[in-house]
Amino acid sequence: MDNRKLYSMRIGGGIELITPTLVSDRPFCLTFWYFIKDSNEFRVDLHFENNKTTIWRRPELGLGEVSKPWTEARVDVEAQPNTFKVRYSDS
């Protein structure tokens, strides 16, 4: 799978990033950087024609913990023979 650009869309007070339609006949590693300055949820979903699967969620902060600035995340994703989109969102 080659590098693709993300599409962004604002949802109310949140943000959503969606890739173009993709397909991968072999496993791949999805790598991205994130920065959340408050306690909002942040997750990554794979969207298929009729359903979605959450493949990653930002770890919960403990009492008194502060989110680190720009943190790298990596997710191993199994081969996806059907078309899908990756959706990054904070809601």
Side-chain angles (χ1 to χ4, degrees), residues 3-60:
N3 292 327
R4 305 285 176 123
K5 293 184 179 180
L6 295 177
Y7 300 139
S8 66
M9 178 188 319
R10 182 154 293 289
I11 314 171
I15 190 73
E16 176 180 72
L17 300 172
I18 303 173
T19 65
T21 300
L22 306 169
V23 66
S24 180
D25 58 354
R26 57 187 174 191
F28 62 94
C29 180
L30 181 65
T31 304
F32 56 95
W33 290 81
Y34 68 95
F35 173 67
I36 305 293
K37 62 181 180 178
D38 54 28
S39 62
N40 284 355
E41 177 181 299
F42 183 74
R43 69 175 189 259
V44 178
D45 301 320
L46 293 186
H47 280 251
F48 303 93
E49 189 170 316
N50 295 319
N51 65 359
K52 73 175 182 177
T53 301
T54 298
I55 60 170
W56 183 88
R57 287 184 191 275
R58 180 182 70 132
E60 292 293 322

